[in-house]
Amino acid sequence: MYDRIREKLSILADAAKYDVSCSSSGGNRKNDNKGIGDSSASGICHTYTEDGRCVSLLKILLTNHCVYDCAFCVSRKSNDVKRAAFTVDEVVELTMSFYRRNYIEGLFLSSGIFKNADFTMERLVRIAKRLRLEERFNGYIHLKTIPGASQELLTEAGLYADRMSINLEMPTEMGLKLLAPEKSHDDVKMPLGFIKDTIAKFKDEKKTGLIKSIPKFVPAGQSTQMVIGATPETDMEIMYSADEYYKNFSLKRVYYSGYIPISHDSRMPVIGSQPPLLRENRLYQTDWLMRFYGFNVKELLNTNNPHLDTDIDPKLSWALRNLEQFPVDINTADYHMILRVPGIGVNSAQKIVQARKFGKLRSDQLKKIGISYNRAKHFIRCADSPIILNEPDAPHLKSIILTESSSKYLKVPQNQLSLF
Amino acid sequence: MTTYIFNGSFEGLLTAIFEFYDRKEKAVELVWDKLYQPSILDEALEIVNDEFKAKRVWDGLKKKLSPEWRTRFYKAYLSEDPQTFQDLLDFARYIFDNPAGAEANFGNPHVIAISKMDKKVNREKHRMKAFIRFQQTGDNIYYCPVDPDFNVLPLIASFFKNRYTDQRWIIYDLKRKYGLFYDLKSVQEITYEFISEIDIKKVILPIELTDPKEELASILWKDYFNSTNIPARKNMKLHIQHVPKRYWKYLNEKQ
């Protein structure tokens, strides 16, 4: 008797899994109505799939019926897959039943487009509204913005959702046109911009203090995703595009999803080829350097270096290209420069600037603070650093570091000389 | 060196710090009574818990430490780790013997020791928030047994109370033989007798004790867990790093 709902869940969870976002952070909804749920600002991963990805939300499609035929999408119209659709009641009940057992932080609801944009968006909004108003649910809700939906529906959605997102799908307009001629980045920019402006409007109204209780509007902000490796963009094109969207639309996150071949389409990698996981990892590292380490994307990627190195991470790569800025004196250097040292993270950098007020730091203290000393030692000076007469040049230093470290991606260190 | 033997309680720890100053000691080894092995050379003092002395020390720490660091001090204590008890005494001495603000000195070994243990306890606390899987019982209580590495139940009580305000729940620590029970009004500490109808050795409750909807909920969760996985990206090393094997028996999706 469980078969019907089990089959639906399997189809609609499977179809939703290529959306990599599962974040539940940034929510600040409090349980102040004696209801259920209280957002955890840091987000919680309740389990991890065997591929190592966090499971925080019940991530499902309302339906995988779709009027579009995007080549990269498993739910495209022409694909011969089983189709299913949840009822509003089923989604609400599943969400509550999982949440009450502490399986999830909330719901991530997306959908194929059936009939038209407004019809689809209206269903998504109806579910969120039911959860908030009838079930008094204060957990996390992430809704997909359906491009082309009316501003009235988007505004209503924003009042119930914690986060909203629309996927760029391909990093550039050209890539998108290649695989989904019916779509365009302008369709994405419009609703992203509208929601960004509405968020700002609600914030301003709050500041004036004229109205006592301003409702929350998409408190955890917006995000987007692009598929990597289906189309031939360079890393530079990908990250410049990400940077533009971070800046123009105040996005909280850009997700990069290595393309997993799901189609025999000749325009894309063939089925069975490995998803570009290492490349995806390097892109995320670059994204972190931009958001938390004060790097400008142009320092990391430019016409001289349009691709990220595969054998070393982008921070080390940048340091090797800019050796004249090193070594950095841990005991005197500016916090922002300490952040740029390979092997030193945000937490360690903060501890270093606090600790050095009490006396000059030595290498044993730096190790205890938790920096990756074996990597950092080539780029820093501290109280007990030995004087080095012949500093190695960049290619030499790179080979020293590669021999010392054991990258999870490289079983054999690649020490060949750079051509430049 | 003098050995202080205390009973492992927070009050005992604070009393020991009081005695250290009261007796003008130079160096003290703090030992948990259940691990104490007498030796002929050492001079040993048995610490008798004293509410007044403990409060003096706590008030002293309150004056010198920010609320954030006081919580760190308490959380490190909840590790129940013998070395950490000693670290806490040394850390308190370092704080009392130096001007205010000394806790920011991450070059100091005691500051680092407390800060590291605090991080470990936090991780375990966070894991409990993540890995607790309630089962709905026939009498409509959401029940979950756990055995955390550290004594983190006091740290998660308010989280679950705020989140599950409209349902009764029990989180039971099998290792430390006590649990938390929320009765729709407040969270109380309970012991085994209270829930004696439940065989605590079994993590999964027998079906006759559960709500009729429990079986389907658990099946659907397992289905969801499997459907949301992408086999082409399989990475078991990462999976196990995030979900260490010792927690698997409490996770229905891993059964």
Side-chain angles (χ1 to χ4, degrees):
Chain A
M1 68 189 236
Y2 297 155
D3 291 353
R4 184 82 192 102
I5 183 78
R6 288 187 67 181
E7 189 187 22
K8 271 192 193 182
L9 178 61
S10 296
I11 293 172
L12 295 169
D14 186 274
K17 72 188 178 188
Y18 298 99
D19 210 310
V20 292
S21 162
C22 202
S23 155
S24 57
S25 58
N28 56 2
R29 221 169 274 278
K30 290 284 155 245
N31 188 355
D32 45 18
N33 56 357
K34 291 244 167 199
I36 177 164
D38 197 53
S39 291
S40 170
S42 62
I44 296 174
C45 295
H46 283 275
T47 190
Y48 289 80
T49 49
E50 291 193 348
D51 54 35
R53 291 179 312 146
C54 157
V55 180
S56 181
L57 304 171
L58 170 63
K59 183 163 46 184
I60 47 175
L61 298 189
L62 182 56
T63 178
N64 62 340
H65 289 283
C66 193
V67 297
Y68 285 105
D69 200 37
C70 311
F72 52 84
C73 179
V74 73
S75 302
R76 66 189 177 279
K77 190 169 57 183
S78 63
N79 201 17
D80 182 24
V81 289
K82 266 198 173 170
R83 306 280 166 171
F86 279 126
T87 64
V88 172
D89 281 343
E90 282 168 337
V91 176
V92 170
E93 203 173 304
L94 258 178
T95 309
M96 294 310 292
S97 147
F98 280 11
Y99 194 85
R100 287 195 177 281
R101 290 170 175 78
N102 202 44
Y103 295 166
I104 53 169
E105 285 300 287
L107 175 68
F108 180 160
L109 189 61
S110 177
S111 183
I113 315 295
F114 49 106
K115 288 197 183 166
N116 57 54
D118 271 350
F119 192 86
T120 311
M121 194 71 216
E122 193 269 328
R123 291 300 161 91
L124 301 186
V125 172
R126 202 191 295 175
I127 288 170
K129 187 175 180 178
R130 269 276 299 277
L131 283 167
R132 293 288 188 227
L133 301 186
E134 285 176 39
E135 304 290 334
R136 289 191 295 178
F137 176 72
N138 300 304
Y140 198 87
I141 298 180
H142 179 157
L143 286 186
K144 269 273 156 260
T145 305
I146 306 296
S150 74
Q151 298 196 337
E152 288 72 33
L153 276 172
L154 295 187
T155 309
E156 199 184 357
L159 292 171
Y160 304 124
D162 291 290
R163 170 164 290 182
M164 294 180 72
S165 67
I166 325 177
N167 291 347
L168 284 172
E169 311 296 8
M170 295 304 144
T172 58
E173 183 75 28
M174 213 179 66
L176 187 66
K177 281 276 175 270
L178 181 70
L179 300 181
E182 305 159 289
K183 290 189 171 174
S184 119
H185 276 177
D186 285 338
D187 303 341
V188 176
K189 283 178 184 166
M190 233 160 17
L192 273 180
F194 173 72
I195 290 169
K196 179 203 151 200
D197 293 342
T198 316
I199 293 174
K201 208 172 79 191
F202 273 77
K203 273 197 185 135
D204 285 349
E205 278 176 28
K206 202 169 187 177
K207 263 187 233 152
T208 62
L210 292 175
I211 308 164
K212 269 220 173 99
S213 70
I214 302 288
K216 291 184 194 309
F217 188 85
V218 201
Q222 300 190 88
S223 65
T224 192
Q225 164 175 309
M226 34 195 168
V227 174
I228 304 308
T231 43
E233 286 94 350
T234 61
D235 291 343
M236 182 176 99
E237 286 174 291
I238 294 169
M239 293 316 298
Y240 278 33
S241 175
D243 186 53
E244 179 198 329
Y245 278 86
Y246 271 127
K247 284 185 180 140
N248 296 347
F249 299 98
S250 319
L251 295 186
K252 286 286 191 285
R253 285 292 300 274
V254 173
Y255 292 92
Y256 313 90
S257 169
Y259 177 68
I260 293 150
I262 37 115
S263 147
H264 288 288
D265 196 304
S266 60
R267 291 168 291 180
M268 291 181 297
V270 294
I271 287 188
S273 48
Q274 272 298 307
L277 298 185
L278 171 57
R279 187 176 181 203
E280 188 187 288
N281 181 255
R282 294 283 181 246
L283 292 168
Y284 276 113
Q285 288 173 324
T286 310
D287 184 282
W288 248 249
L289 291 177
M290 286 158 47
R291 291 191 298 136
F292 303 117
Y293 287 78
F295 281 93
N296 184 309
V297 68
K298 294 190 181 91
E299 297 177 272
L300 303 164
L301 287 159
N302 44 53
T303 43
N304 292 329
N305 308 282
H307 282 287
L308 296 166
D309 284 326
T310 49
D311 53 353
I312 54 172
D313 65 80
K315 196 183 187 191
L316 178 57
S317 205
W318 173 83
L320 291 172
R321 284 199 304 273
N322 295 277
L323 273 183
E324 74 285 353
Q325 303 199 28
F326 296 97
V328 166
D329 189 332
I330 289 297
N331 288 303
T332 57
D334 187 58
Y335 168 74
H336 301 286
M337 198 57 215
I338 293 179
L339 258 189
R340 292 185 164 227
V341 176
I344 299 184
V346 175
N347 278 328
S348 302
Q350 285 169 351
K351 281 181 182 159
I352 286 169
V353 292
Q354 288 190 51
R356 68 186 183 186
K357 291 181 194 151
F358 295 85
K360 289 208 171 214
L361 295 172
R362 300 177 309 269
S363 56
D364 62 304
Q365 291 169 308
L366 291 174
K367 284 178 198 167
K368 282 215 168 124
I369 281 174
I371 74 167
S372 167
Y373 186 75
N374 270 340
R375 173 154 297 201
K377 70 182 177 193
H378 304 289
F379 302 95
I380 59 169
R381 289 288 174 270
C382 52
D384 58 338
S385 291
I387 294 163
I388 298 167
L389 290 177
N390 288 316
E391 304 256 5
D393 60 2
H396 189 193
L397 190 51
K398 179 175 170 182
S399 84
I400 295 174
I401 291 171
L402 277 175
T403 336
E404 280 175 353
S405 71
S406 49
S407 164
K408 52 186 177 267
Y409 295 109
L410 292 170
K411 298 287 174 267
V412 186
Q414 296 181 344
N415 291 343
Q416 79 256 31
L417 289 171
S418 164
L419 288 173
F420 305 102
Chain B
M1 164 122 52
T2 314
T3 303
Y4 280 9
I5 309 155
F6 86 122
N7 67 353
S9 68
F10 195 57
E11 192 177 283
L13 172 75
L14 296 175
T15 310
I17 298 168
F18 183 91
E19 298 295 348
F20 175 88
Y21 284 101
D22 199 42
R23 287 160 188 271
K24 301 193 170 58
E25 306 273 10
K26 285 201 174 58
V28 153
E29 191 189 355
L30 184 64
V31 183
W32 194 355
D33 55 4
K34 69 175 192 185
L35 301 173
Y36 178 60
Q37 288 178 320
S39 96
I40 316 163
L41 296 170
D42 286 348
E43 192 189 320
L45 174 75
E46 198 161 329
I47 299 295
V48 182
N49 282 12
D50 185 317
E51 202 186 322
F52 170 76
K53 291 174 180 172
K55 193 174 177 307
R56 282 273 306 272
V57 172
W58 190 239
D59 288 344
L61 284 172
K62 266 190 189 165
K63 273 189 203 132
K64 297 202 87 170
L65 290 177
S66 65
E68 191 194 351
W69 266 96
R70 275 183 333 248
T71 321
R72 276 189 194 159
F73 187 89
Y74 178 60
K75 281 195 283 192
Y77 158 77
L78 290 176
S79 68
E80 301 172 327
D81 172 58
Q83 176 57 44
T84 302
F85 291 151
Q86 179 74 45
D87 292 336
L88 285 164
L89 183 130
D90 294 339
F91 173 78
R93 285 180 52 197
Y94 170 72
I95 292 301
F96 284 131
D97 297 348
N98 283 286
E103 69 276 10
N105 184 5
F106 287 97
N108 177 284
H110 309 307
V111 174
I112 284 285
I114 301 308
S115 149
K116 282 203 170 140
M117 187 44 90
D118 167 64
K119 204 172 166 187
K120 280 190 187 174
V121 174
N122 265 335
R123 190 181 301 141
E124 189 67 3
K125 167 190 160 192
H126 190 80
R127 277 181 179 145
M128 286 305 117
K129 290 182 186 173
F131 294 159
I132 275 175
R133 301 278 181 269
F134 285 123
Q135 301 164 65
Q136 191 181 5
T137 66
D139 45 5
N140 207 18
I141 292 177
Y142 288 80
Y143 169 74
C144 178
V146 291
D147 67 344
D149 293 350
F150 308 124
N151 184 19
V152 294
L153 257 51
L155 302 176
I156 60 172
S158 66
F159 171 86
F160 282 96
K161 180 176 177 269
N162 293 339
R163 177 164 287 208
Y164 300 107
T165 310
D166 69 347
Q167 69 189 38
R168 293 188 297 161
W169 50 261
I170 290 173
I171 298 168
Y172 202 83
D173 185 334
L174 301 175
K175 204 189 277 173
R176 294 166 190 83
K177 299 194 174 57
Y178 81 101
L180 303 173
F181 172 49
Y182 173 70
D183 61 2
L184 302 179
K185 288 189 196 78
S186 59
V187 181
Q188 293 151 24
E189 222 176 277
I190 51 164
T191 47
Y192 173 57
E193 287 77 24
F194 190 84
I195 45 165
S196 52
E197 77 275 17
I198 293 169
D199 178 3
I200 61 161
K201 280 185 208 91
K202 289 208 186 86
V203 173
I204 307 288
L205 292 174
I207 194 156
E208 60 274 16
L209 282 182
T210 62
D211 184 88
K213 283 187 268 179
E214 181 56 34
E215 188 192 19
L216 177 60
S218 183
I219 289 174
L220 289 174
W221 172 240
K222 282 183 229 177
D223 285 346
Y224 175 66
F225 178 73
N226 291 324
S227 304
T228 200
N229 179 44
I230 300 178
R233 299 180 60 110
K234 188 167 177 167
N235 186 345
M236 283 308 274
K237 200 180 148 199
L238 191 59
H239 173 65
I240 290 167
Q241 186 185 320
H242 286 308
V243 190
K245 281 187 174 165
R246 65 180 183 282
Y247 299 98
W248 286 15
K249 63 181 167 186
Y250 296 103
L251 302 174
N252 49 349
E253 71 270 18
K254 297 301 292 176
Q255 301 309 312

